[in-house]
Amino acid sequence: MSGVGLLEDLDGLPVYDFPAPGAGPELPAGGAVAWRLSVDPYGNDDESFEQCWERFTRTVDLSTVRALLVGVWGECYEHDSSAVVALVTAARDRLTSLRAFFLGDQDQEQNEISWIEHADVTPLLHAFPGLEVLGIRGGTGLRFPPLHHDELRTLIVETGGLPREVVRGIGDSDLPALENLELWLGDPNYGGDTEADDLSAILSGDRLPNLGHLGLQNSPVQEDIAAAVAAAPVVTRLSSLSLSMGVLTDTGAEALLNGRAALSHLRRLDLHFHFLSDEMTARLPEAFPGVEVDVSEQTKPDEYRGETYRYVAVAE
């Protein structure tokens, strides 16, 4: 889970850790911060997440809470997020101002990203029709059946391996307000079996009329995705595109160059963490004048017993 840290803000609000029992600091106003609830299953206070949640609901005026994060809810490699989803959705009549929610805000010291077990997260969207930001970290067991949601502006799914059924579920969802979609597709060894064909509904843009940023990242088939994106109808409405963190080689970069007429209107093209040659790393920014092209973190493949290995930025 290298490079994946705890969030410092959510939807423009600074993250504030709901204190442990007995800590006793004066709490901020409910709508002034993004509240992070997290427990230590190996700590000394022995508080379960259910107890932490109950204490939070007694202490903070839920009607004023605008942003909420859930970090560690227990031994996350043994207990999936379904109980957390149930607790939060059960409080929907009190969480009347909730606009942003992030599930699984954990760093590597707490859990590897592939150890975070999830379930169906769409009850959150059904319960909160006014939710504008939804973030998920971890892909194991994750489900996202197709749905309709009128207000969601940002959907971020960070994984070391994202099942293709989730990608297809998102693509088949009607999300007319969505402006920012970021998917970390991940490694097959950790459940990331998404191929470029699985992105067809997203790349058509038919259900995403307001999409401005698209991130299809952290993929071992990044060059196939680059070729598909370069000719995709959705690109014409984007201002920002990220194909970062994956196995992008000169082959994929050539596909982007061949499609540069469709990409030249972008404000930003993010390709950081890549396996491009020195020549291509220099060539790409020159080929897209007026576009901010990020080709930082040039990565060299590993060589072992005559074989060449390339890898995504975030897997286990």
Side-chain angles (χ1 to χ4, degrees):
M1 202 158 130
S2 175
V4 183
L6 298 179
L7 296 183
E8 296 181 357
D9 61 81
L10 180 64
D11 200 31
L13 294 174
V15 171
Y16 178 86
D17 286 296
F18 184 60
E26 183 176 350
L27 298 177
V33 298
W35 297 86
R36 177 164 53 216
L37 278 67
S38 191
V39 298
D40 182 357
Y42 310 108
N44 296 322
D45 54 43
D46 293 326
E47 185 179 44
S48 68
F49 185 82
E50 288 76 9
Q51 291 169 322
C52 177
W53 176 257
E54 193 276 333
R55 189 166 53 85
F56 175 71
T57 62
R58 282 189 289 104
T59 307
V60 177
D61 181 358
L62 295 192
S63 69
T64 65
V65 173
R66 295 165 47 201
L68 184 62
L69 305 88
V70 172
V72 178
W73 55 80
E75 294 180 335
C76 298
Y77 52 87
E78 293 185 358
H79 304 287
D80 66 34
S81 60
S82 57
V84 175
V85 171
L87 285 172
V88 176
T89 56
R92 57 183 170 275
D93 292 338
R94 298 175 64 191
L95 287 164
T96 53
S97 298
L98 189 67
R99 294 296 177 267
F101 185 76
F102 195 99
L103 180 60
D105 185 26
Q106 305 173 29
D107 63 15
Q108 190 172 19
E109 292 186 1
Q110 296 169 318
N111 271 308
E112 297 287 357
I113 196 168
S114 65
W115 297 359
I116 304 173
E117 295 275 348
H118 283 293
D120 184 357
V121 295
T122 57
L124 292 164
L125 291 168
H126 291 299
F128 297 99
L131 198 70
E132 298 178 356
V133 177
L134 176 62
I136 308 292
R137 182 171 293 165
T140 303
L142 186 64
R143 298 195 300 280
F144 197 107
L147 52 72
H148 180 97
H149 196 280
D150 284 321
E151 301 298 329
L152 192 67
R153 294 185 293 104
T154 295
L155 176 59
I156 298 173
V157 186
E158 301 175 348
T159 81
L162 186 59
R164 58 162 44 104
E165 290 81 5
V166 175
V167 173
R168 290 177 174 176
I170 292 170
D172 289 338
S173 294
D174 290 306
L175 303 171
L178 197 69
E179 300 171 357
N180 176 19
L181 175 61
E182 182 177 316
L183 304 177
W184 295 12
L185 302 172
D187 189 282
N189 293 317
Y190 299 97
D193 56 357
T194 301
E195 302 288 342
D197 288 347
D198 299 310
L199 300 166
S200 58
I202 293 172
L203 295 180
S204 75
D206 292 342
R207 296 181 176 90
L208 302 169
N210 285 300
L211 196 67
H213 171 75
L214 176 61
L216 300 173
Q217 303 163 230
N218 199 47
S219 174
V221 294
Q222 203 75 63
E223 52 192 23
D224 294 340
I225 292 172
V229 167
V234 74
V235 170
T236 59
R237 70 190 61 151
L238 300 180
S239 60
S240 176
L241 172 66
S242 179
L243 303 175
S244 62
M245 303 169 60
V247 182
L248 183 68
T249 67
D250 285 7
T251 300
E254 286 288 356
L256 296 176
L257 291 171
N258 291 336
R260 62 181 173 270
L263 300 171
S264 59
H265 69 285
L266 293 173
R267 290 203 303 266
R268 190 164 195 271
L269 177 60
D270 180 7
L271 306 175
H272 83 270
F273 189 96
H274 56 82
F275 292 85
L276 303 176
S277 65
D278 292 343
E279 179 185 1
M280 187 60 77
T281 300
R283 183 181 171 194
L284 276 170
E286 296 173 354
F288 292 96
V291 180
E292 179 189 349
V293 181
D294 185 350
V295 286
S296 61
E297 297 186 56
Q298 182 186 30
T299 307
K300 300 298 183 183
D302 290 339
E303 302 289 342
Y304 181 70
R305 294 184 176 179
E307 297 289 336
T308 300
Y309 297 91
R310 297 179 177 87
Y311 44 88
V312 299
V314 177
E316 184 180 9

